[in-house]
């Protein structure tokens, strides 16, 4: 078996924070960085705090990401943020297709795939989120749903595009609920996703990082990250707490 991929832990702040809290969170994380040995770290604040966070992350090893982007080029699209603007502020990553965007803002598989492609055109690394609802899991449709979400990206961008992308498996029933998938449950789906990609390109499947997201916390991160196909985490609530986020990063 080949060596495991480098763990990537990304904090998704969602729509949380203030100028003050953003600053103290980044200051606290920077102060504890010596605890994190090998994990790659990224922070995805709300758009409006990107300039502040970007300035504070300069000269650190922590990467910056956004939570969303427009599929369009800059122009007359009121309220949207374009890929070149994210580049302009030093973003490396951008989350696409988070389940909250799919559920509350009507993002379809097709739109998520378009955003994925647009991000890559600009040199951003998309973190594309997939995951099933509780009723889909209970109906035995977990694989079908995740396959459909992955296939939308594969057919729009091609398997080779995953060389510069990250996948986040976030079962919707585990997000913000405190109900984490067990390491075995998560591993099963991660292996399924990797196999799906391997059908198209085995080399890319071996390289692509697949994060787990959904109630990751300081107590469960290490056993999740130890699974063979789990390559880190996309962290919501625990990314807003300095100690917890550092502990999760140090677990990689
Ligand atoms: P929680 O860690 O709060 O469950 O959120 C997970 C998530 O949605 C990260 O994108």
């Amino acid at each position: 078996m080949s060596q495991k991929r480098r763990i990537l832990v990304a904090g998704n702040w969602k729509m949380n924070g203030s100028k003050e809290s953003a600053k103290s969170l980044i200051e606290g994380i920077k102060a504890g960085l010596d605890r994190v040995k090998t994990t790659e770290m990224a922070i995805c604040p709300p758009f409006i705090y990107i300039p502040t966070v970007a300035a504070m992350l300069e000269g650190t090893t922590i990467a910056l990401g956004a939570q969303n982007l427009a599929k369009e080029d800059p122009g007359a699209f009121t309220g949207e943020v374009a890929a070149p603007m994210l580049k302009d502020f030093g973003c490396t990553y951008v989350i696409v297709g988070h389940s909250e965007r799919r559920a509350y803002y009507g993002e379809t598989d097709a739109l998520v795939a378009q955003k994925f492609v647009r991000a890559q055109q600009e040199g951003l690394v998309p973190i594309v989120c997939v995951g099933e609802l509780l009723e889909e899991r209970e109906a035995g449709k977990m694989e079908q749903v995740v396959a459909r979400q992955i296939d939308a990206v594969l057919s729009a961008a091609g398997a080779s595009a995953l060389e510069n992308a990250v996948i986040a498996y976030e079962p919707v029933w585990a997000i913000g609920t405190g109900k984490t998938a067990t390491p075995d449950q998560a591993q099963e789906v991660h292996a399924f996703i990797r196999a799906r990609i391997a059908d198209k390109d085995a080399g890319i499947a071996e390289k692509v990082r697949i994060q787990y997201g959904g109630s990751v916390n300081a107590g469960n991160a290490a056993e999740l990250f130890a699974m063979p196909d789990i390559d880190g985490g996309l962290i919501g609530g625990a990314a807003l707490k300095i100690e917890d986020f550092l502990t999760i990063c140090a677990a990689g």
Side-chain angles (χ1 to χ4, degrees):
M1 205 181 125
S2 58
Q3 230 195 338
K4 205 178 155 181
R5 298 146 294 270
R6 186 177 176 203
I7 294 284
L8 169 64
V9 174
N12 173 11
W13 289 3
K14 307 193 179 182
M15 196 172 72
N16 290 294
S18 63
K19 280 190 280 185
E20 273 318 299
S21 71
K23 276 189 198 153
S24 59
L25 194 44
I26 299 294
E27 268 163 19
I29 291 166
K30 279 166 69 173
L33 269 185
D34 55 336
R35 284 171 54 190
V36 184
K37 304 294 179 222
T38 55
T39 299
E40 183 186 343
M41 296 168 67
I43 307 264
C44 305
F47 286 135
I48 198 160
Y49 299 123
I50 283 179
T52 306
V53 172
M56 293 185 76
L57 292 184
E58 219 167 289
T60 74
T61 52
I62 307 172
L64 180 65
Q67 299 174 16
N68 184 27
L69 81 164
K71 70 177 192 304
E72 292 84 7
D73 292 336
F77 300 97
T78 302
E80 292 292 305
V81 176
M85 299 172 183
L86 300 180
K87 247 344 228 193
D88 199 17
F89 278 91
C91 286
T92 301
Y93 295 102
V94 59
I95 299 170
V96 298
H98 191 281
S99 67
E100 288 150 16
R101 303 238 27 112
R102 294 179 190 257
Y104 308 143
Y105 302 97
E107 294 202 4
T108 60
D109 292 335
L111 176 60
V112 171
Q114 282 177 305
K115 289 187 174 191
F116 179 101
V117 169
R118 188 65 193 86
Q120 284 197 332
Q121 284 168 349
E122 212 59 43
L124 294 159
V125 177
I127 300 176
V128 60
C129 301
V130 300
E132 80 287 357
L133 305 169
L134 183 60
E135 43 284 25
E136 291 166 337
R137 173 169 280 256
E138 285 175 350
K141 290 186 175 156
M142 176 268 286
E143 291 193 349
Q144 192 185 317
V145 170
V146 171
R148 191 199 72 220
Q149 293 169 333
I150 291 287
D151 289 355
V153 172
L154 286 173
S155 61
S160 61
L162 291 179
E163 178 131 40
N164 296 307
V166 175
I167 294 169
Y169 169 59
E170 299 205 308
V172 178
W173 48 272
I175 296 177
T177 59
K179 269 173 81 183
T180 322
T182 64
D184 286 336
Q185 275 177 325
Q187 166 60 29
E188 182 194 1
V189 186
H190 284 233
F192 172 76
I193 293 169
R194 206 177 295 288
R196 189 95 189 166
I197 298 164
D199 282 346
K200 301 268 190 284
D201 189 321
I204 297 286
E206 194 53 41
K207 277 194 233 162
V208 67
R209 288 187 289 189
I210 308 178
Q211 297 176 307
Y212 168 78
S215 299
V216 177
N217 60 43
N220 62 26
E223 53 176 4
L224 285 161
F225 299 168
M227 300 308 281
D229 287 297
I230 300 182
D231 308 310
L234 186 55
I235 318 301
L240 299 171
K241 298 178 194 142
I242 296 165
E243 258 312 297
D244 292 20
F245 189 63
L246 284 168
T247 304
I248 293 167
C249 291

